[in-house]
Amino acid sequence: MANLDLYRSKRDFSRTREPKGAAKRRSRAEQAGGAFVVHKHAARRLHYDLRLEHGGVLWSWAVTRGPSLDPAEKRLAVHVEDHPLEYGGFEGTIPEGEYGAGSVIIWDEGKWIPEGNPAGGMEKGHLAFTLEGHKLGGRWKLVRLKSRRGEKRDNWLLIKVDDDFARDDEDILKTAPDSVVSGKSVEEVGDDPAGDVWSTDEKPAKGRKPRGTKSSTARSKVSGRPAKIEAEPLPRFVEPCLATLEDKPPAGEHWLHEVKFDGYRLQARISGGKVRLHTRTGLDWTDRFRDQIAAAFAALPCDTALIDGEVVALGKDGISSFSALQAALSDGEATDLVFYAFDLLHLDGEDLRAEPLLARKERLEELLQATKPDAALRYSEHFVEPGQTMLRHACRMGLEGVISKRVDAPYRSGRGRDWIKSKCTQRQEFVIAGYVPCKASRNQLGSLVLGYHEGGELKPAGRVGTGFTRKSAANLKRRLDAIAAETAPFEGAAGRERGIVWVKPELVAEIAFGSWTASKTLRHSAFLGLREDKPADEVIEEKPVKAAASRTRSAAKLMPPRASRRETTVTLSNPDKPLWPDIGFTKQNLLDYYASVWERMAPFVVERPLSLLRAPDGIGGQVFFQKHAGAGLHKSVSRMKDKDGEELLFIRDFDGLAALVQLGTVEIHLWNAKVDAVETPDQVIFDLDPDKGVPMERVRAAALTVRARLDELGFASFLKTSGGKGFHVVMPLKPKAGWDEIKAFARGFAKAMEQAQPKLYTATLSKQARKGRIFVDYLRNGRGATAIAPYSTRARPGAPVAMPVAWARLGQLAPDAFKAGTIGAGESEDEAWRGFFELARTLTGRRDAE
């Protein structure tokens, strides 16, 4: 079927008033772009429908989790039937019992501009385009995923391109959830008895519900699957999908990456209120884990499920430890273990194995959304940054490695290439203390016995039995036989082992290995070769350098004296790593800078939900955004869950800030509320964002205009440089009003500025609206939105800082005037925000009314 045939075949137009659609108005070759609309559709499951006008119809995709402004977020988009153009203007309710039953709002609308020939892009499976809407702007991509045998759905990925419209510090779905046409929420539209209904029934009288609004069939707790649909039987056990080992992670848009846990693979089966835990070979290990993990699964809001994951024992550093897990199981103390769930195979009678991985993970995250961050059952987060970058981060944190998975792959039992594992390896020199002959022939080399020096003694480090060729092993054995010794170089029990040919500790081998065990022996080791250039008596265990390392010359000139440094219990790894390579500004320099401003910074950052922009390899490398806790997060970074079950991170003291530095955090973004009153903001922020080419004098004048208008309303305001292109005007509040009221005030304020001087200001996000104007960004005041923290550095050349400043200095300053390397050396702003919280007023009780 072509055009609207499939759309029409799914609907009975004698029962619904949905438009049939007019005859095709233009051929595809004649059209390049047109209107776009995003419908928010509360059907069986809430989702968003992206529709692009082309050839007289609306190309349509169902985006389960909705579009994201974060380029690091890939959203699954299922290509569905074309819809008529008239469909783009509908906002109302489709009654129960009809196709797509549920309420619909126009979440966004505007214009789309394709790059190249859109029809050709559809055929090739790669559409690149620009959106000019109220909420969505800039460049986007739709990329078709490779179809699998027997797969009926046409799966794509919706990806935001990293440009001026990209935002990784807010979830636009949460900060701007309502209709751009009516201003209503999707719930309000569904509850409106007088609202539009696409049905042949007459509109009900005021106060009456439309016919059929109550569901006639029961639905399961999470899946939303109608109970009358015949459920598929829950398997007792499914052979797990296994990863193939490769030397590096795969690259490309079709992959996501997860932490490789160092634990036991388990499959959790939930049925009839009972939970069973099976190993990868199908053995029932439920009793080995007592009731802790099973109870966490039993509490999930589902009737039946099959969940794949791994059980681990976490150390104090948050890293999984296999030796600790074995000890816990052998001692019968398996009470502090954690199950990380990473796949969902079956849910409430629905077999999900044929679904793409991304769809399965979305369902799994939804199922686990109410679990606490410190619970025994946790969702395994994934990352879409390049796999090689992810592996480097994992290795630095002491993790075992990375599992890379195809986002479009179904769940296939057995070992395949849909999942790829890449392990971390370390390299170090070790002294050869002896060797074990091959069991098949004493004339051949089986393994090497290794050691290292500590405290004047040679300590055992375990054995290595791989990495040799037959020829290299024979040559090495001859060299070792020439230096054979009658006694062991080790003291104690290690020197009394049998079956070892001991040698003089003279030769040094370079060894690659995965990690150290708790008993200080090597895991996953491999022989790389002999080191002829290093004396054996200099071989010691290599450990990370403590945070007292020397600094680079260029940065040392800029830093405040060490006397201003605040002490912390957090140890920096790689303190000499340049985070701003252009000026040689290192991780240690960043910690020193924050120590010099901490007393001024603390009142504005402690105990506020935060989001992090991290650049572990420096701002010239991969930069990514983090909102939730990950493996290895220091205990000084606190966590909590809000009323929606969303995990929030915050810090309480300088140790928390130091822990953020250790992560390579180059920007700290904060909510406008504190964690103890997270639903009532205590400030409003107006971000003045000028279009390219707008003179700085106009930006300064805009800041003064905001200040004057707020003063007329009875509010005090304070000035902050953004460290970027504009200024922030910050208004302190007493935490009384809720987010909706605060955002409505900020939006109304920005709109009033736009209406008063439309040639100077705009309150619209789109690039077209900004031309030659200053965007009065009020979106920073929505729930979950963030703004750059006072005194935080920015990921820009020179390490600029978002600095609180006095209004009197506005005419002298550029938004990026302050640099982290000079703060504390005569350019501080100690008095700028004095009295900030004392001048707070309620939104309704302003200064003139109190």
Side-chain angles (χ1 to χ4, degrees):
M1 296 184 181
N3 300 322
L4 297 176
D5 294 345
L6 182 58
Y7 165 84
R8 290 167 179 154
S9 72
K10 291 186 174 184
R11 291 160 176 82
D12 181 355
F13 292 101
S14 67
R15 292 183 49 78
T16 177
R17 287 179 178 170
E18 293 173 87
K20 287 185 178 180
K24 193 168 69 171
R25 298 166 187 173
R26 287 178 283 178
S27 70
R28 296 191 175 196
E30 292 173 335
Q31 184 182 9
F36 88 87
V37 65
V38 177
H39 279 127
K40 186 176 180 179
H41 189 177
R44 180 167 59 89
R45 293 180 67 219
L46 179 68
H47 66 279
Y48 295 75
D49 295 302
L50 170 65
R51 311 192 194 281
L52 306 177
E53 178 186 359
H54 187 82
V57 297
L58 293 172
W59 286 341
S60 298
W61 288 263
V63 186
T64 309
R65 295 181 63 195
S68 171
L69 298 177
D70 187 350
E73 289 278 355
K74 298 177 183 178
R75 295 292 165 91
L76 186 68
V78 181
H79 185 216
V80 297
E81 69 272 12
D82 294 346
H83 283 52
L85 291 179
E86 294 86 347
Y87 205 103
F90 175 71
E91 186 169 275
T93 301
I94 303 172
E96 192 71 33
E98 298 184 10
Y99 183 79
S103 53
V104 180
I105 62 171
I106 299 174
W107 182 79
D108 198 16
E109 65 178 0
K111 181 180 180 181
W112 83 287
I113 305 166
E115 298 177 13
N117 178 13
M122 281 290 283
E123 285 188 29
K124 293 178 181 177
H126 193 286
L127 272 177
F129 52 94
T130 296
L131 295 181
E132 295 181 353
H134 300 273
K135 302 173 183 176
L136 304 182
R139 297 181 61 238
W140 296 74
K141 289 189 294 184
L142 275 164
V143 181
R144 179 185 286 124
L145 298 176
K146 184 178 179 181
S147 60
R148 304 282 170 163
R149 181 177 297 178
E151 188 172 53
K152 297 180 181 180
R153 301 200 312 182
D154 185 14
N155 294 311
W156 296 58
L157 293 177
L158 176 63
I159 307 170
K160 178 72 186 79
V161 174
D162 193 358
D163 58 17
D164 289 344
F165 288 88
R167 300 183 87 127
D168 53 13
D169 59 350
E170 88 171 282
D171 184 348
I172 191 69
L173 304 180
K174 291 183 177 180
T175 59
D178 301 332
S179 167
V180 295
V181 173
S182 66
K184 293 182 178 180
S185 68
V186 71
E187 293 82 9
E188 289 172 331
V189 168
D191 292 339
D192 185 359
D196 248 348
V197 178
W198 271 353
S199 170
T200 54
D201 300 333
E202 294 297 324
K203 283 186 179 180
K206 189 171 183 179
R208 290 179 55 197
K209 294 271 186 185
R211 196 172 76 181
T213 53
K214 289 187 178 180
S215 174
S216 58
T217 58
R219 299 183 184 274
S220 69
K221 300 173 189 175
V222 167
S223 68
R225 205 166 182 265
K228 66 180 181 181
I229 295 179
E230 185 176 351
E232 298 174 75
L234 180 69
R236 189 198 76 83
F237 173 73
V238 171
E239 182 185 352
C241 177
L242 301 176
T244 298
L245 178 63
E246 291 192 358
D247 59 351
K248 61 181 180 180
E253 295 172 332
H254 293 122
W255 295 91
L256 58 78
H257 312 281
E258 299 174 348
V259 168
K260 186 179 188 302
F261 296 106
D262 196 6
Y264 279 124
R265 182 82 171 270
L266 289 179
Q267 191 174 106
R269 185 181 191 272
I270 305 170
S271 180
K274 296 182 179 180
V275 179
R276 308 306 299 176
L277 301 172
H278 296 99
T279 68
R280 58 185 286 176
T281 58
L283 297 176
D284 191 335
W285 276 22
T286 310
D287 294 338
R288 297 195 67 180
F289 297 99
R290 299 196 175 183
D291 298 328
Q292 180 192 26
I293 292 178
F297 280 106
L300 293 178
C302 62
D303 296 322
T304 64
L306 204 61
I307 299 172
D308 193 3
E310 191 151 347
V311 66
V312 300
L314 299 180
K316 293 181 179 179
D317 56 0
I319 305 299
S320 56
S321 168
F322 188 72
S323 59
L325 175 61
Q326 288 182 312
L329 292 176
S330 62
D331 295 342
E333 297 296 331
T335 56
D336 294 318
L337 305 182
V338 175
F339 187 105
Y340 278 100
F342 47 67
D343 215 325
L344 181 61
L345 283 57
H346 218 278
L347 180 63
D348 286 333
E350 189 176 359
D351 190 340
L352 303 176
R353 284 175 287 177
E355 296 288 311
L357 170 67
L358 203 57
R360 300 196 307 272
K361 290 211 70 174
E362 287 176 358
R363 298 286 291 276
L364 177 62
E365 186 176 15
E366 182 182 0
L367 179 64
L368 301 182
Q369 64 182 350
T371 58
K372 296 181 179 180
D374 57 350
L377 173 59
R378 305 178 191 178
Y379 175 70
S380 176
E381 299 280 355
H382 61 264
F383 304 85
V384 295
E385 63 184 88
Q388 194 65 39
T389 302
M390 174 72 178
L391 181 61
R392 286 199 302 271
H393 297 334
C395 295
R396 285 198 187 99
M397 295 165 64
L399 300 172
E400 189 180 355
V402 168
I403 299 288
S404 305
K405 302 177 180 179
R406 283 195 65 94
V407 297
D408 56 339
Y411 191 93
R412 291 194 180 97
S413 297
R415 197 172 301 280
R417 301 189 67 81
D418 290 334
W419 292 13
I420 301 296
K421 59 183 177 182
S422 310
K423 293 185 177 181
C424 295
T425 58
Q426 302 180 53
R427 294 171 67 143
Q428 185 181 323
E429 296 84 19
F430 290 92
V431 177
I432 301 177
Y435 71 90
V436 178
C438 178
K439 292 182 179 180
S441 172
R442 290 190 60 84
N443 295 322
Q444 295 181 19
L445 182 68
S447 62
L448 297 177
V449 180
L450 304 174
Y452 62 95
H453 289 98
E454 183 180 270
E457 294 182 13
L458 190 67
K459 300 286 188 180
R463 304 178 185 182
V464 58
T466 60
F468 313 103
T469 65
R470 182 180 292 271
K471 182 177 179 180
S472 65
N475 290 335
L476 183 56
K477 183 177 182 298
R478 282 194 294 270
R479 294 192 62 173
L480 294 173
D481 286 340
I483 56 172
E486 294 184 2
T487 59
F490 299 136
E491 298 290 334
R496 294 192 293 271
E497 286 192 58
R498 296 182 178 182
I500 297 175
V501 178
W502 300 109
V503 301
K504 296 176 183 178
E506 299 174 354
L507 293 181
V508 176
E510 184 166 358
I511 305 297
F513 61 99
S515 62
W516 291 92
T517 67
S519 59
K520 296 302 290 183
T521 57
L522 301 179
R523 291 190 66 199
H524 309 306
S525 56
F527 175 79
L528 299 178
L530 291 178
R531 288 290 301 264
E532 305 285 354
D533 58 336
K534 189 160 187 177
D537 59 0
E538 293 183 6
V539 173
I540 61 173
E541 179 191 357
E542 295 178 1
K543 298 179 180 179
V545 179
K546 297 294 183 181
S550 60
R551 315 174 200 168
T552 58
R553 290 184 181 177
S554 56
K557 296 177 183 178
L558 302 175
M559 291 308 302
R562 292 184 66 90
S564 66
R565 183 180 297 177
R566 187 181 179 89
E567 294 302 318
T568 175
T569 62
V570 176
T571 299
L572 297 185
S573 61
N574 299 318
D576 285 341
K577 167 69 75 174
L579 296 182
W580 282 264
D582 58 312
I583 61 171
F585 198 80
T586 67
K587 188 186 287 188
Q588 182 65 61
N589 297 149
L590 181 60
L591 184 61
D592 291 345
Y593 157 68
Y594 280 133
S596 72
V597 299
W598 175 246
E599 296 302 327
R600 287 165 277 159
M601 183 181 188
F604 303 103
V605 299
V606 297
E607 298 185 340
R608 288 183 182 275
L610 53 82
S611 298
L612 313 176
L613 187 67
R614 295 176 54 193
D617 294 320
I619 65 169
Q622 179 68 23
V623 177
F624 60 96
F625 197 77
Q626 180 176 342
K627 299 179 181 179
H628 307 299
L633 190 69
H634 196 277
K635 63 181 180 181
S636 295
V637 181
S638 302
R639 315 173 194 188
M640 66 169 284
K641 286 230 176 173
D642 67 5
K643 63 182 179 63
D644 298 324
E646 183 81 6
E647 183 181 62
L648 306 177
L649 302 180
F650 64 96
I651 62 174
R652 298 182 186 274
D653 49 30
F654 186 71
D655 269 359
L657 183 58
L660 302 186
V661 174
Q662 162 60 13
L663 292 173
T665 301
V666 290
E667 292 188 3
I668 302 169
H669 296 257
L670 303 171
W671 284 37
N672 290 348
K674 302 198 74 172
V675 293
D676 59 354
V678 76
E679 300 303 329
T680 49
D682 64 357
Q683 55 191 267
V684 173
I685 295 177
F686 294 102
D687 180 2
L688 303 177
D689 189 0
D691 188 30
K692 190 179 297 184
V694 173
M696 186 50 57
E697 291 76 13
R698 278 180 51 190
V699 185
R700 295 187 180 108
L704 292 172
T705 300
V706 173
R707 182 193 189 192
R709 286 176 171 267
L710 290 175
D711 189 67
E712 289 173 1
L713 294 173
F715 294 112
S717 59
F718 293 78
L719 181 67
K720 179 178 70 179
T721 66
S722 68
K725 298 184 298 180
F727 294 95
H728 291 179
V729 179
V730 188
M731 180 184 100
L733 279 176
K734 289 185 177 179
K736 301 292 184 182
W739 288 104
D740 291 343
E741 189 177 354
I742 296 298
K743 188 173 181 182
F745 166 80
R747 182 178 183 275
F749 186 93
K751 285 287 186 183
M753 286 190 65
E754 177 187 70
Q755 292 168 4
Q757 294 177 291
K759 293 184 178 180
L760 299 181
Y761 307 120
T762 178
T764 304
L765 179 65
S766 73
K767 190 173 182 179
Q768 186 174 6
R770 280 203 232 188
K771 288 182 179 177
R773 299 177 177 87
I774 296 170
F775 174 41
V776 184
D777 187 353
Y778 65 89
L779 297 173
R780 307 276 177 187
N781 301 290
R783 189 182 188 281
T786 58
I788 192 70
Y791 300 97
S792 171
T793 52
R794 303 303 302 266
R796 297 168 179 264
V801 170
M803 176 61 69
V805 293
W807 279 107
R809 296 203 61 194
L810 175 61
Q812 311 161 16
L813 298 173
D816 60 353
F818 294 92
K819 304 296 191 293
T822 63
I823 307 303
E827 289 198 58
S828 61
E829 293 288 326
D830 288 338
E831 305 297 323
W833 280 21
R834 185 174 294 277
F836 182 92
F837 295 105
E838 288 77 2
L839 292 173
R841 298 291 184 267
T842 61
L843 195 63
T844 54
R846 299 164 189 153
R847 283 183 296 176
D848 54 356
E850 290 189 348

